[in-house]
């Protein structure tokens, strides 16, 4: 009989006077009706410490499996050799900890230079991190990287907010230009936001990324790259390649916003006469 194991994030607790309850990965509690099954034997099966067959225990284990609360012991994902080389561009306050995290995950991060038009870099992905707003046109060439088979990921800071844009892996994904267009369309202050991006800006005391804030951004970027490289599935929330994340650097709160590619607009027809 195959060994059973609770899925990551799923736990079983004993409630005084009420028996067993399941805490799901989403944080909900569900009561378990064990009937005549031996609770000790059931818990042993759910933790994978025994495979001893028993009809009542088998029935409950099957119910856990049908509900999606069981999973085989996960094998550690390895970073594929074809996707190991990652080029990092931008500000060291972000690229330095990101390089360390990527090496620990199995990637081969290296310093990069801005991509050239119509030329694919010698890397599987390019990551560009800015400790400030994105200057007009800076990422235009990099937006074409997915068309050449190179994944494209970026983040930047605007005041006390940092934005982690979705990873683009092919020509159908979201580019930085799409994100800018969607953000302008979503705010009544689109003129002010466009002026903020284009500058100049008058600022006071500088915003400095703290260690925890840089670590959070590094973790988000590393997770996105690892899932792309290993093919790991999305787990809840918005799809990773259709998700814009905003990080409040004062509270380290992360909010997710859906973002879609902007369709190409056909030129307005002119009167031939």
């Amino acid at each position: 009989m195959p060994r059973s194991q609770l899925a990551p994030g799923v736990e079983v607790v004993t409630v005084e006077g009420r028996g067993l309850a399941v805490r799901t990965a989403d944080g909900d509690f569900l009561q378990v009706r064990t009937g005549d099954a031996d609770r000790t034997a059931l818990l042993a099966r759910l933790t994978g410490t025994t495979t001893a067959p028993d009809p009542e225990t088998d029935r409950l284990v099957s119910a856990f499996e049908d509900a999606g609360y069981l999973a085989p012991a996960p094998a550690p994902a390895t970073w594929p050799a074809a996707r190991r080389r990652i080029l990092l561009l931008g500000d060291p306050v972000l690229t330095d900890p990101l390089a360390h995290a990527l090496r620990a995950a199995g990637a081969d991060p290296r310093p990069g230079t801005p991509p050239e038009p119509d030329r694919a870099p010698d890397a599987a992905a390019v990551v560009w991190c800015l400790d400030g707003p994105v200057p007009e046109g800076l990422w235009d060439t990099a937006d074409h990287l997915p068309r050449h088979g190179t994944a494209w990921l970026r983040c930047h800071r605007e005041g006390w907010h940092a934005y982690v844009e979705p990873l683009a892996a092919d020509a159908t994904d979201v580019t930085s230009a799409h994100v800018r267009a969607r953000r302008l369309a979503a705010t009544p202050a689109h003129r002010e936001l466009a002026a903020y991006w284009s500058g100049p800006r008058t600022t006071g005391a500088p915003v400095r990324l703290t260690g925890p804030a840089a670590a959070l951004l590094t973790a988000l970027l590393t997770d996105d790259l690892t899932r792309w490289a290993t093919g790991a599935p999305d787990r809840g929330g918005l799809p990773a390649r259709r998700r814009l994340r905003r990080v409040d650097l004062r509270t380290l709160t992360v909010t997710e916003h859906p973002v879609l590619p902007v369709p190409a607009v056909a030129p307005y027809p002119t009167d031939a006469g």
Side-chain angles (χ1 to χ4, degrees):
M1 178 170 293
R3 189 176 296 274
S4 304
Q5 189 174 34
L6 289 169
V10 178
E11 300 169 288
V12 176
V13 297
T14 301
V15 184
E16 185 176 357
R18 296 181 63 85
L20 301 181
V22 176
R23 186 186 188 278
T24 70
D26 293 328
D28 298 322
F29 285 95
L30 305 174
Q31 187 177 2
V32 181
R33 300 184 183 277
T34 56
D36 296 329
D38 182 272
R39 293 179 184 174
T40 302
L42 174 61
L43 294 176
R45 287 280 296 277
L46 295 178
T47 56
T49 57
T50 181
T51 59
D54 173 78
E56 280 300 303
T57 305
D58 292 346
R59 177 183 64 81
L60 288 170
V61 170
S62 296
F64 272 79
E65 185 174 15
D66 292 342
Y69 299 147
L70 294 186
T78 57
W79 203 295
R83 293 184 171 180
R84 289 191 68 234
R85 180 171 293 185
I86 310 293
L87 297 186
L88 303 182
L89 292 80
D91 295 313
V93 68
L94 290 168
T95 57
D96 286 352
L98 180 58
H100 179 77
L102 288 174
R103 288 191 194 96
D108 178 22
R110 302 186 180 191
T113 57
E116 301 176 14
D118 300 320
R119 181 178 178 181
D122 183 20
V126 171
V127 186
W128 204 329
C129 299
L130 295 178
D131 185 23
V134 185
E136 192 74 32
L138 180 66
W139 285 350
D140 288 355
T141 298
D143 272 348
H144 296 283
L145 287 170
R147 299 181 185 178
H148 300 291
T150 303
W152 165 224
L153 181 62
R154 59 264 170 212
C155 75
H156 70 280
R157 180 182 60 78
E158 297 176 8
W160 282 113
H161 294 113
Y163 291 85
V164 179
E165 300 192 6
L167 183 144
D170 59 46
T172 66
D173 282 334
V174 178
T175 67
S176 69
H178 295 160
V179 171
R180 290 169 82 93
R182 294 294 187 185
R183 287 185 60 193
L184 288 173
T187 176
H190 55 90
R191 293 180 181 85
E192 290 79 1
L193 182 57
Y196 173 78
W197 285 337
S198 61
R201 295 174 295 274
T202 301
T203 61
V207 173
R208 299 193 184 278
L209 278 178
T210 64
L216 174 58
L217 293 173
T218 293
L220 295 176
L221 293 165
T222 301
D223 184 67
D224 281 351
L225 284 165
T226 303
R227 290 185 181 279
W228 158 77
T230 63
D234 294 330
R235 295 191 181 278
L238 298 168
R241 285 158 68 175
R242 297 293 184 269
R243 171 190 63 199
L244 173 67
R245 286 178 292 195
R246 187 178 75 169
V247 180
D248 189 321
L249 300 173
R250 297 162 297 185
T251 62
L252 302 187
T253 302
V254 181
T255 55
E256 296 186 350
H257 306 272
V259 60
L260 296 173
V262 177
V265 178
Y268 190 80
T270 57
D271 188 349

